[in-house]
Amino acid sequence: MRDPNVYNFRRALPRMSWDPRNLFNLWRRSVGPLAREAQWKDSSLTVFQQRWIAKRLVRGYHGDFVNEKIFKRWYLPTTLPDVRQHRGRAGAQKSVMLGKWAKKDAMVDLVTKKQEEEDGRGLAPVGSLMFTELERRIDIVIFRACLAHSHTDANVRLAPGDMVTVDPKAIRFLQEQALPEEETEETSNDAETSAEGSSSSQPKPTPRRPARKSNSGLTPFNPPPYSAPFMFVPAYLEVSFPACSAIYLRHPTARPGYSEIPTPFDADGEVEQKSDGKDAYE
């Protein structure tokens, strides 16, 4: 990250990191009190101010480590999928007309109901696919696979079918961790005895517990604190934790009401729509 104070609580810009401070900012921006700052239906802010805030939030999470020139040259998609339903709608209307002519009311009702359900779901949030090329970076893939706490500036991009393997010693989740200092029962008893009338006024030092050991020789698993709501593996990755490896299966996709690009913001919400991907770097 370029900014050394990336987890600033005042700005509260979400990043790709398992740092507890960043997890707190993720909660504040997604479902916490700051989520209302990106809801502008009844806002007095101008359109320019809304777009500026949206670009700032989206770039903070998806690409603050990539400058504008590099993003436009290497990561900006040339096209996005066409989500218009002209062919499907025309085919459905033709089926309805033929069904009415043939007096097949059951088929007409089925086709009409299916078309109404598709219309209710709306269009696919293809705007989030603006960051598909960034999701192919090897450092982001390793982070998405939950094999690293954060990522740096690796520029290698994976193709469908590529596999990456991580040294287990480099995965902090799988390392033994020292427990915090705590008073043992013996220490508590000594403190009570001293309080009742012991001549010594100096408290005994608190013993330090040894590092947490795995039971039965199993590998320890210590996820970051407070990470449970945000820790998941995207559908376009196949992760093997016993082998500490991940396979990039395919590029992320989107469908009505759902996007495979992980983001702390609604994939079809105001933040993603007003950020416009490309403009987020300008």
Side-chain angles (χ1 to χ4, degrees):
M1 299 293 182
R2 295 175 295 173
D3 189 346
N5 193 20
V6 294
Y7 307 127
N8 184 282
F9 289 149
R10 183 180 61 84
R11 293 180 298 173
L13 294 179
R15 313 286 181 171
M16 292 189 193
S17 172
W18 297 118
D19 188 282
R21 296 168 295 176
N22 183 62
L23 296 176
F24 180 59
N25 287 335
L26 278 172
W27 172 81
R28 294 169 70 195
R29 285 293 181 184
S30 56
V31 297
L34 296 184
R36 293 190 296 270
E37 293 185 1
Q39 299 173 359
W40 301 299
K41 291 183 179 180
D42 300 324
S43 175
S44 60
L45 297 177
T46 64
V47 176
F48 174 81
Q49 291 173 325
Q50 296 175 13
R51 287 174 61 87
W52 187 86
I53 295 174
K55 295 172 187 177
R56 184 166 173 258
L57 293 174
V58 170
R59 183 178 183 181
Y61 182 81
H62 288 284
D64 189 45
F65 46 89
V66 180
N67 62 42
E68 177 186 347
K69 292 183 179 179
I70 294 179
F71 178 79
K72 288 183 177 180
R73 182 175 181 180
W74 298 108
Y75 299 109
L76 182 63
T78 56
T79 60
L80 290 176
D82 186 0
V83 297
R84 293 173 294 179
Q85 302 176 356
H86 298 317
R87 295 182 179 179
R89 184 178 297 276
Q93 292 177 351
K94 185 177 180 180
S95 298
V96 170
M97 293 176 61
L98 291 175
K100 290 181 178 179
W101 179 79
K103 297 183 178 181
K104 296 183 178 180
D105 296 336
M107 185 195 73
V108 172
D109 294 340
L110 181 63
V111 173
T112 303
K113 182 178 180 181
K114 183 177 179 180
Q115 187 63 40
E116 290 177 353
E117 291 178 352
E118 292 180 355
D119 294 341
R121 289 196 297 266
L123 301 178
V126 295
S128 61
L129 300 182
M130 186 69 65
F131 304 102
T132 298
E133 293 298 316
L134 288 175
E135 293 293 319
R136 295 176 55 190
R137 285 168 52 112
I138 187 172
D139 55 337
I140 295 183
V141 168
I142 292 176
F143 173 77
R144 297 294 190 201
C146 301
L147 299 176
H149 274 59
S150 61
H151 60 87
T152 55
D153 54 347
N155 295 321
V156 177
R157 281 184 289 178
L158 301 181
D162 287 349
M163 183 179 69
V164 295
T165 303
V166 180
D167 186 353
K169 296 181 180 179
I171 303 177
R172 293 168 56 186
F173 303 144
L174 307 181
Q175 307 305 316
E176 296 178 350
Q177 298 180 355
L179 295 176
E181 296 182 0
E182 296 180 1
E183 288 189 349
T184 60
E185 182 178 357
E186 180 181 356
T187 305
S188 300
N189 294 336
D190 291 342
E192 293 176 359
T193 304
S194 175
E196 290 176 358
S198 174
S199 60
S200 175
S201 60
Q202 297 294 333
K204 294 185 177 180
T206 303
R208 183 183 296 273
R209 284 191 177 185
R212 180 184 288 131
K213 301 293 184 180
S214 59
N215 298 326
S216 305
L218 299 178
T219 302
F221 179 66
N222 301 305
Y226 316 110
S227 62
F230 308 99
M231 182 173 284
F232 62 93
V233 177
Y236 52 88
L237 297 180
E238 182 69 29
V239 181
S240 174
F241 291 103
C244 297
S245 63
I247 300 176
Y248 185 78
L249 298 176
R250 53 179 173 77
H251 302 319
T253 61
R255 61 177 183 268
Y258 175 75
S259 174
E260 292 184 341
I261 299 287
T263 178
F265 314 106
D266 185 359
D268 199 24
E270 294 181 278
V271 173
E272 292 283 350
Q273 291 176 359
K274 287 185 169 64
S275 66
D276 192 25
K278 174 183 176 181
D279 292 338
Y281 290 82
E282 296 180 349

